[in-house]
Amino acid sequence: MSRRRRVRSSLRRCDGVSRREFVRVGGLTALGLSLSHLSAPGWSAEATRDTRADDGSSASFGRAKRCVLIWLDGGPSHLETFDLKPDAAKEVRGPFQPIPTRLVGEHICELMPRTAENMRDVAVIRSMTSPLGEHNFGAHYLLTGYKPTPAVEYPSYGAVMAHLRGEAGQPDTALPPHVAVPRFRVGGGKMSGAGFLGPAYRPFSVGGDPAKRDFQVRDLDFFPGMNAGRLDRRRRFVQALEQFQADVENPQPNNPITDRVNTGDPEFEQAYRLLTSPEAKRAFALEEEDADTRRRYGTRTIGQSCLLARRLLERGVPFVTVNNPGWDTHENAYTRLKEGYTGAKVPVGLVPSLDLAFNALIDDLRERGMLDETLIVVMGEFGRTPKLNTRGGRDHWPRVFSVAVAGAGIEGQIIGQSDAVAEGPSERPITPSDLAATLYHLLGVRADARLYTPDGRPIEINRDGELIRELT
Amino acid sequence: MALVNAFWTLVLLAAPAAGGAAETQLDFDTDVLPLLTKAGCNAAACHGAAAGRGGFKLSLFGADPASDYAEITFALEGRRLDRRHAADSLLLAKPTLQLDHEGGQRLEEETPPVQTILRWIEQGAPRLARRVTALHVLPESTTVDTLPARLALRATADITPATSSPANSGTSDSAHQTRDVTATAVYTPVDPSAIEIDEAGHVTVLRPGRHTIVVRYQGLVQTAHITAPLPRPDAASPKPASPDLADSQVTAPATPLDPLVRENLRSLHLAEAPSADDLTLLRRATLDLTGRLPTPDEVREYLASDAPDRYEQTVERLLQSEAFNDFWTYRFSKLFRIKAPPREPQVAEAFHGWLREQIAQDQGFDQIARQMLLGSGDTHHNGPANFYRMAGDPLAQTEYFSEVFMAVRLRCANCHNHPLDHWTQDDYHGLAAVFAIVEKGREIRFTNRSEIIHPATGEPARLRIPGERYLAPADHAHDHALKNANPQAPLEQLSAWLVAPDNPYFARAQVNRLWQAMMGRGLVEPTDDLRSTNAPSSPELLDALAQDFVEHGYRLRPLLKQIALSQTYRRAVRNAGDHDSDAMLAELEARFFAVASPRPLEAEVLADAIVDVTGVPQAYGDGPEGTRAIQLVDPSQPSETLDILGRCDRESGCEPTAGTEGGGLSARLHLINGPLINDRLRDASGHLGRSLAEGESTEAIVRAFYLRALSRPPRENEMHFWLGQIHQAPDRSAALEDFVWSLLNCNEFRTNH
């Protein structure tokens, strides 16, 4: 065998300075970066080009009009969901058996029969890899495509989508653009989700549990004694106070109060629109769904959350995070992942509940003709250790884990592989940054487009990520 | 590729020493390893990962040359080097892509790095163990003029020859030398949008401000600082602060802090804002020092006083108040993450109660820390011993200790040496070994039984003061002797080191937090991440504050007073009208304290303020009526309101980062449409209910609520507006409810400004 064989097919980068960055450094002015550029906060559509593969021209660009992120908070075990190792030693393969799927020769966990049945519409990446094995860090990386740094908190997918929609003009719904069900508390709760885009782009947490009979969104129905007319007067009063303050700070002669059309406070205005729109509030009325539909999604919180997500998507919400906590299974994995509680006759643990909810969402969207324009992502902040620990659980493991994506015209397939004991990627390692580039591509956001921090620093939507070509 | 070659040509020209013709003996540590680091081979995502990559494992950024040398020369049966056909060595064939390499092409053939590695292999791949003893970067600190500005960094390393050993006798090891390592050092700008830098150290400065570049070479880290001032301000004088109420304003004398801040502003060409008006200052100082609004009586008295030092008197009164004790106990409870374990409320109560005593008597923070570190016995009664109940195992205790008392994120060093700081695994596990002597439970005891296994060696970690020294000389056996003599001895040594006046972390960490509490922004942000590569916005000021803190016995009040009386603290906020025009300028003004930064009231303070303005108390769990949110001992005390407003659950640190606070839409909906405000407006026992029952005039009611909520009387046009609105409303009490509601929902109320 010749050792002089040259393999130049893929210029995959590791960390460090990539060649592309190197080119950038030299060609700074060619990229059109100038100070005048930097002063306008917000979004720059005429972003500069570089040597990235994604020029936004391929057919898959922007195929998804909306997205549901099913976030498995705590770090789901790849070995108990999408990446089983039946031939490995007992302490690696764990308690569950693989079952065949609609993809010939591909198996997933026996606790996910509906997903197995739907696999022609589900792509599973088995070679996700990250160096960050701590909840906050991992969640930040997976939800933003950027590793966390002290210099800046990057915005999550939902905040970016919300921001872009805000830039595109007044939406035709009063619903907030990024809704978290039941609440956005991820990776230990240190992430606001909005990053440098600021509090206005925080996800809206509905607060209540959609699986509860008396579910309602906190503080959404008019407080007793309130009505639209009175709220309108209150808004005028706040507007007057803001105007008084502005006049003091920036005196203008004869500045009449009526000049202002609103309070000038985007968050207040958003709350006001939501409170005064009966149509928007109806999105949360799960009781409008028939009993069969509700049952189909499963009675657990994750199921009813996915159902609520579908109602929100239908009404124009571009991004919904279904946040499902509890996947940090350091101990008692068998009970927590399968049964839900010891001795359950029908398993209602994390994995069966996910299986129900995820596939009900796929089927429902397909039946409504929405699946091809809706992206569904199932992931958590990392995987779990290849070996079971002494407490019957697995610990944090970011070196390889699985992510599932569906909808948006994606074909069912397995992408990448882990090694024999699911310890590292053996083929086609994919980073959270690559995933971000791909998800943004599908959602119609160019990776090299720029966001601006409040002080005007330009930040690319994604840096270093390479498109996952199987998905685009 | 052309670019790469051009680059190395430049390097050759610039640094002839690196390619010198004389056949000097090359060394693994100082000649080869830096090239691998520069090429990114030992980055965390590549072979520097804890488990290596593709069966080839290097230490992160070359922190452990000995193991890297073994990995390259001996592991895999030595197949990574081909000493007869050096060019066929795996070490070169992979990164130059002669063989398939998952990491892609990292090195280009025929370039100096490859030639150096080739020559080194031909020389027999020796490890001479020369050591890099120091790294210098020039310029260390510089100021540039017009942007974009260009400059070049130069990095040099002091290299010490290996002590002669039989192994390399016969080879001529070069003498102690200073070598130009500009081409092989690794450069990382902290803010890549402000600084672009290429591999040869050529810098382009794009944005005004103060910027830091981190320079790494063979385990050593240095920083270069670049100040890029704004274009010179035009002659136009800054706008005055609020025109009314400013008449009585006396320019405050400068405190020793002010010149340090001013020096910074001058160097950046930033203009400082004028002083805020008196009532704004009263409100600001009352909120910052006591976490509550001034009462209407306090506002009236302040207005009525004609004492020239009424502000100074007020600061003194606030510092001595019970409200101060409550508020700073709350602040430090958040810092210490005070929270009770399940079914043991006594833990939080004892800790909180003790802390309040310390703050009430203005105990030095050194004593507070010492008592906590050495606290033992029944944690239900001995408050400070609960320091050991707030974290689990010795590793968690290590991270908690370093974050709370040193503002250092030591946790990175659990698995590998900290890449951006000098922390090592020895530091982390050595400190954990110190905490391993603590036996936890309701009783805290110190024993000599436990030890911590160092993950790199598999041996018990030696007791160590982080970044400093081993506690016992020589070896692990001495650790045993030390602990056997007195189990508590390691903790005594640790606490003595921590609170020594020259400790580089302790005082700085606390003064940075106190500054942040008063100014809304730390000199170092985030406030729990002090390290050489995260430069303070004013190092001189941080040092001066720390020195002042030490000189005043680590007591809170003298330092807070000094800050509160400074001109810097008294500045006005930036005018709202200016904000849209130049966001970058606004950010620089805030970062360097040219203006005051308005910030939202934190959850507990906001809830208390709403209670005070409406006069209707809030019940928290089974706590006594009238308990304030900031007096709650434990964040697990159920309160939906506080949760929605975004209180810290103290699960991990609570330290806010400038700019990321604020409760979002959920919190806003709650304020607008939830019971927190709405219920209180209709309560007959509240201020509004009683005013209505007593038949007070609209004017009196409006005036009173302005004092309560905004800490100032209404201006004439405001009063006129409200009288008109309320007069024409069909239902007067509803209109007045709406008036108070709008006060509680306006920006002026919801912020400390």
Side-chain angles (χ1 to χ4, degrees):
Chain A
M1 186 182 81
S2 161
R3 295 188 67 182
R4 285 277 164 193
R5 180 169 52 101
R6 288 195 178 252
V7 185
R8 298 231 181 229
S9 53
S10 74
L11 282 182
R12 289 200 59 78
R13 43 132 214 56
C14 253
D15 240 18
V17 178
S18 73
R19 300 192 64 211
R20 188 174 60 75
E21 276 175 334
F22 183 68
V23 171
R24 269 190 52 173
V25 169
L28 186 65
T29 43
L31 290 174
L33 256 185
S34 70
L35 280 174
S36 64
H37 221 94
L38 308 184
S39 52
W43 154 259
S44 155
E46 36 87 51
T48 50
R49 295 288 317 125
D50 60 15
T51 57
R52 183 189 307 279
D54 183 13
D55 59 2
S57 64
S58 89
S60 59
F61 182 79
R63 202 149 59 192
K65 303 270 179 287
R66 52 193 97 83
C67 180
V68 183
L69 166 63
I70 301 178
W71 177 256
L72 308 180
D73 193 59
S77 169
H78 49 301
L79 281 148
E80 269 79 35
T81 50
F82 291 110
D83 196 5
L84 277 72
K85 299 290 175 187
D87 300 330
K90 192 164 180 295
E91 67 272 20
V92 171
R93 69 173 185 260
F96 305 122
Q97 300 302 313
I99 51 169
T101 69
R102 285 276 172 166
L103 295 178
V104 176
E106 301 294 354
H107 294 69
I108 60 172
C109 180
E110 60 177 322
L111 303 180
M112 309 182 79
R114 291 172 186 81
T115 309
E117 194 60 28
N118 253 332
M119 272 300 280
R120 283 193 187 142
D121 280 323
V122 178
V124 171
I125 306 167
R126 282 187 178 148
S127 53
M128 289 298 302
T129 182
S130 146
L132 305 174
E134 191 272 335
H135 293 292
N136 275 301
F137 295 168
H140 187 284
Y141 196 12
L142 267 290
L143 287 169
T144 69
Y146 278 95
K147 289 181 198 162
T149 84
V152 58
E153 187 194 332
Y154 294 92
S156 69
Y157 292 111
V160 171
M161 297 314 292
H163 180 71
L164 296 186
R165 196 180 71 159
E167 292 291 317
Q170 189 77 357
D172 51 7
T173 171
L175 288 165
H178 179 194
V179 180
V181 193
R183 58 183 58 79
F184 193 83
R185 195 201 140 80
V186 298
K190 285 199 128 180
M191 266 183 87
S192 71
F196 60 73
L197 293 176
Y201 296 101
R202 281 197 171 184
F204 172 62
S205 291
V206 303
D209 178 353
K212 292 225 168 101
R213 195 181 294 274
D214 58 353
F215 165 71
Q216 55 178 11
V217 181
R218 204 168 43 206
D219 302 325
L220 194 60
D221 293 330
F222 275 128
F223 196 79
M226 284 301 295
N227 53 51
R230 200 154 164 208
L231 185 61
D232 198 50
R233 176 166 74 186
R234 290 182 168 192
R235 175 164 170 254
R236 272 195 303 114
F237 283 3
V238 172
Q239 176 188 323
L241 283 163
E242 304 300 356
Q243 183 68 53
F244 288 136
Q245 189 62 15
D247 290 348
V248 170
E249 288 177 357
N250 213 1
Q252 309 264 332
N254 305 323
N255 205 353
I257 284 161
T258 46
D259 264 13
R260 295 279 288 265
V261 290
N262 62 45
T263 58
D265 175 343
E267 218 171 71
F268 185 96
E269 291 301 313
Q270 195 182 22
Y272 175 81
R273 278 204 308 279
L274 182 56
L275 285 167
T276 51
S277 164
E279 178 53 35
K281 291 185 191 181
R282 262 189 68 191
F284 300 99
L286 278 182
E287 65 276 9
E288 286 185 358
E289 298 287 332
D290 61 55
D292 276 351
T293 307
R294 295 200 69 168
R295 218 173 298 126
R296 177 179 183 185
Y297 276 85
T299 56
R300 312 294 280 191
T301 304
I302 186 177
Q304 297 301 304
S305 298
C306 282
L307 175 56
L308 178 56
R310 192 215 78 213
R311 291 181 63 87
L312 292 165
L313 297 180
E314 281 178 318
R315 287 164 177 80
V317 174
F319 201 97
V320 180
T321 300
V322 170
N323 181 20
N324 187 222
W327 290 83
D328 195 18
T329 50
H330 287 284
E331 62 269 306
N332 302 331
Y334 182 84
T335 311
R336 291 169 65 183
L337 293 174
K338 180 181 177 183
E339 297 182 320
Y341 54 90
T342 310
K345 286 208 183 73
V346 181
V348 288
L350 292 164
V351 184
S353 301
L354 166 67
D355 187 52
L356 260 177
F358 177 38
N359 292 285
L361 184 62
I362 293 176
D363 295 342
D364 202 356
L365 290 172
R366 192 191 292 116
E367 285 159 24
R368 287 162 195 263
M370 292 167 69
L371 186 60
D372 283 347
E373 293 188 341
T374 307
L375 179 63
I376 308 172
V377 183
V378 182
M379 65 182 181
E381 59 263 46
F382 37 63
R384 314 295 304 181
T385 38
K387 280 187 189 160
L388 285 162
N389 63 26
T390 52
R391 293 164 292 160
R394 299 182 193 265
D395 303 318
H396 305 174
W397 192 259
R399 268 200 73 208
V400 75
F401 56 102
S402 302
V403 164
V405 280
I410 290 169
E411 280 177 29
Q413 60 189 303
I414 302 291
I415 300 168
Q417 275 186 38
S418 65
D419 58 26
V421 291
E423 189 177 67
S426 64
E427 185 177 289
R428 190 137 167 60
I430 291 173
T431 68
S433 178
D434 297 336
L435 181 66
T438 307
L439 298 183
Y440 280 127
H441 171 94
L442 292 169
L443 287 162
V445 183
R446 278 169 53 164
D448 61 349
R450 289 176 178 193
L451 297 169
Y452 290 89
T453 64
D455 60 325
R457 293 161 36 163
I459 310 267
E460 291 169 292
I461 294 271
N462 177 261
R463 201 159 49 210
D464 300 341
E466 288 187 10
L467 288 183
I468 304 168
R469 56 184 181 276
E470 295 90 331
L471 297 178
T472 55
Chain B
M1 191 186 307
L3 265 172
V4 175
N5 281 328
F7 163 66
W8 283 111
T9 311
L10 279 173
V11 169
L12 274 173
L13 292 172
E23 186 63 13
T24 40
Q25 182 66 67
L26 295 169
D27 166 41
F28 176 73
D29 293 19
T30 54
D31 291 302
V32 173
L33 193 46
L35 298 174
L36 302 182
T37 304
K38 180 103 182 178
C41 308
N42 51 22
C46 300
H47 303 288
R53 196 118 188 174
F56 180 38
K57 175 180 166 11
L58 294 172
S59 62
L60 188 63
F61 299 133
D64 186 353
S67 84
D68 292 344
Y69 183 69
E71 182 78 6
I72 288 170
T73 55
F74 302 123
L76 208 69
E77 283 80 48
R79 275 170 43 213
R80 293 203 168 99
L81 298 183
D82 186 332
R83 287 161 207 260
R84 256 172 292 173
H85 307 100
D88 287 345
S89 298
L90 276 182
L91 184 67
L92 284 170
K94 298 280 275 188
T96 54
L97 275 189
Q98 293 170 54
L99 286 176
D100 202 355
H101 184 220
E102 194 190 296
Q105 182 164 30
R106 313 302 308 176
L107 291 170
E108 198 75 54
E109 284 175 273
E110 318 288 325
T111 55
V114 169
Q115 286 162 351
T116 301
I117 296 171
L118 266 175
R119 256 199 357 266
W120 171 73
I121 299 169
E122 284 161 4
Q123 288 176 352
R127 176 160 190 250
L128 307 176
R130 292 178 192 145
R131 282 193 314 119
V132 185
T133 51
L135 174 64
H136 313 279
V137 179
L138 286 173
E140 226 172 284
S141 174
T142 189
T143 299
V144 298
D145 239 345
T146 33
L147 297 180
R150 291 168 203 284
L151 61 114
L153 292 185
R154 184 162 172 265
T156 56
D158 294 348
I159 295 179
T160 321
T163 44
S164 62
S165 66
N168 50 22
S169 62
T171 62
S172 64
D173 196 1
S174 46
H176 179 105
Q177 54 161 298
T178 297
R179 196 188 292 179
D180 188 315
V181 295
T182 308
T184 37
V186 179
Y187 307 94
T188 317
V190 169
D191 180 353
S193 73
I195 296 281
E196 300 268 6
I197 183 161
D198 71 11
E199 305 206 352
H202 297 123
V203 178
T204 308
V205 187
L206 297 167
R207 294 161 57 77
R210 189 153 297 162
H211 309 300
T212 304
I213 297 167
V214 179
V215 184
R216 273 189 290 120
Y217 179 76
Q218 221 6 58
L220 297 181
V221 183
Q222 276 296 350
T223 50
H225 302 282
I226 298 172
T227 300
L230 289 151
R232 287 213 173 270
D234 46 7
S237 58
K239 287 176 201 152
S242 310
D244 52 348
L245 299 168
D247 45 357
S248 64
Q249 196 172 298
V250 183
T251 307
T255 65
L257 309 179
D258 292 313
L260 298 172
V261 176
R262 196 157 291 135
E263 188 50 44
N264 247 346
L265 298 181
R266 278 208 195 101
S267 73
L268 287 157
H269 300 169
L270 286 166
E272 54 194 273
S275 180
D277 71 67
D278 281 357
L279 286 181
T280 299
L281 277 181
L282 171 68
R283 188 178 195 268
R284 187 188 294 172
T286 310
L287 277 169
D288 284 336
L289 292 173
T290 63
R292 59 173 188 77
L293 297 169
T295 64
D297 282 345
E298 286 165 358
V299 176
R300 278 189 218 102
E301 272 169 38
Y302 200 79
L303 279 176
S305 165
D306 49 11
D309 63 342
R310 60 180 175 166
Y311 176 71
E312 287 78 0
Q313 285 179 18
T314 302
V315 168
E316 199 55 49
R317 170 178 62 77
L318 292 170
L319 286 169
Q320 304 308 327
S321 65
E322 282 300 310
F324 177 95
N325 297 335
D326 284 339
F327 184 55
W328 287 85
T329 304
Y330 154 79
R331 285 227 123 122
F332 281 97
S333 296
K334 284 211 296 186
L335 174 63
F336 296 141
R337 307 172 201 172
I338 293 184
K339 187 171 189 168
R343 290 176 297 283
E344 270 192 271
Q346 301 93 329
V347 163
E349 284 160 12
F351 200 175
H352 186 271
W354 169 80
L355 190 57
R356 195 178 186 288
E357 278 169 29
Q358 307 308 302
I359 286 172
Q361 65 198 49
D362 210 8
Q363 180 68 273
F365 203 74
D366 56 337
Q367 290 307 311
I368 291 177
R370 221 184 111 74
Q371 290 185 60
M372 285 165 65
L373 278 168
L374 299 176
S376 62
D378 184 349
T379 53
H380 291 191
H381 297 289
N382 186 20
N386 287 297
F387 174 66
Y388 292 114
R389 304 287 312 270
M390 298 299 118
D393 62 13
L395 304 188
Q397 190 78 45
T398 294
E399 293 168 11
Y400 172 65
F401 168 88
S402 67
E403 286 159 15
V404 166
F405 286 133
M406 298 163 67
V408 159
R409 297 178 179 181
L410 209 52
R411 67 179 59 195
C412 304
N414 179 355
C415 310
H416 52 74
N417 296 350
H418 196 305
L420 291 178
D421 211 332
H422 60 273
W423 305 111
T424 65
Q425 279 186 289
D426 294 344
D427 289 326
Y428 181 97
H429 295 281
L431 182 55
V434 171
F435 287 122
I437 69 177
V438 181
E439 198 175 271
K440 300 188 179 192
R442 177 171 164 179
E443 291 276 332
I444 296 294
R445 287 194 201 91
F446 303 130
T447 75
N448 58 5
R449 284 196 288 274
S450 271
E451 47 196 24
I452 291 293
I453 299 300
H454 194 307
T457 61
E459 300 284 315
R462 291 176 54 199
L463 301 170
R464 186 170 164 83
I465 288 182
E468 196 78 8
R469 61 188 160 86
Y470 290 105
L471 290 190
D475 60 26
H476 183 62
H478 287 80
D479 282 347
H480 274 303
L482 183 75
K483 288 193 284 186
N484 283 338
N486 172 10
Q488 197 179 313
L491 287 170
E492 281 168 1
Q493 292 199 36
L494 179 67
S495 65
W497 166 80
L498 181 72
V499 304
D502 59 352
N503 182 292
Y505 311 102
F506 183 67
R508 278 184 185 77
Q510 303 318 325
V511 298
N512 188 48
R513 289 186 174 118
L514 296 176
W515 182 266
Q516 197 262 1
M518 296 293 283
M519 306 296 300
R521 181 190 285 260
L523 291 161
V524 179
E525 285 282 347
T527 49
D528 61 350
D529 194 11
L530 256 56
R531 58 186 149 80
S532 61
T533 46
N534 187 17
S537 56
S538 169
E540 300 80 15
L541 180 55
L542 185 63
D543 288 347
L545 290 168
Q547 195 188 338
D548 188 81
F549 192 49
V550 174
E551 281 168 8
H552 288 92
Y554 299 88
R555 289 178 299 135
L556 297 184
R557 285 177 181 78
L559 191 86
L560 293 174
K561 181 173 171 179
Q562 163 131 228
I563 295 173
L565 297 186
S566 69
Q567 291 172 340
T568 306
Y569 179 76
R570 299 192 202 193
R571 290 200 227 289
V573 298
R574 199 170 205 266
N575 288 337
D578 300 345
H579 269 293
D580 319 326
S581 56
D582 195 341
M584 185 175 69
L585 177 63
E587 166 64 18
L588 285 176
E589 286 180 344
R591 185 181 306 160
F592 294 97
F593 310 103
V595 296
S597 295
R599 50 217 136 103
L601 302 183
E602 54 198 307
E604 286 92 337
V605 173
L606 179 58
D608 285 344
I610 288 168
V611 164
D612 288 342
V613 173
T614 56
V616 183
Q618 167 88 23
Y620 293 105
D622 45 9
E625 177 90 341
T627 303
R628 299 174 71 84
I630 60 154
Q631 291 171 322
L632 294 179
V633 168
D634 192 320
S636 42
Q637 179 75 267
S639 166
E640 197 188 20
T641 286
L642 294 179
D643 289 342
I644 299 168
L645 296 182
R647 69 170 157 181
C648 176
D649 62 9
R650 303 182 192 169
E651 287 291 345
S652 48
C654 295
E655 292 182 80
T657 305
T660 57
E661 301 153 81
L665 185 58
S666 311
R668 195 54 85 81
L669 271 180
H670 192 63
L671 291 176
I672 292 174
N673 195 42
L676 176 62
I677 292 174
N678 287 309
D679 263 346
R680 289 189 161 66
L681 296 179
R682 285 188 213 152
D683 195 310
S685 70
H687 291 312
L688 183 59
R690 274 180 296 167
S691 294
L692 288 171
E694 286 162 19
E696 282 178 27
S697 72
T698 302
E699 187 170 351
I701 294 174
V702 168
R703 188 173 300 279
F705 275 98
Y706 259 78
L707 291 183
R708 287 189 188 108
L710 306 182
S711 319
R712 64 174 176 88
R715 298 181 194 96
E716 208 177 308
N717 61 333
E718 291 177 305
M719 181 60 89
H720 180 76
F721 172 81
W722 294 117
L723 292 180
Q725 290 291 323
I726 291 159
H727 178 70
Q728 63 178 246
D731 178 345
R732 177 169 175 263
S733 65
L736 281 167
E737 278 176 26
D738 292 358
F739 154 69
V740 179
W741 181 94
S742 64
L743 281 180
L744 295 174
N745 271 286
C746 79
N747 191 47
E748 190 178 348
F749 170 74
R750 287 182 298 105
T751 55
N752 179 5
H753 43 78

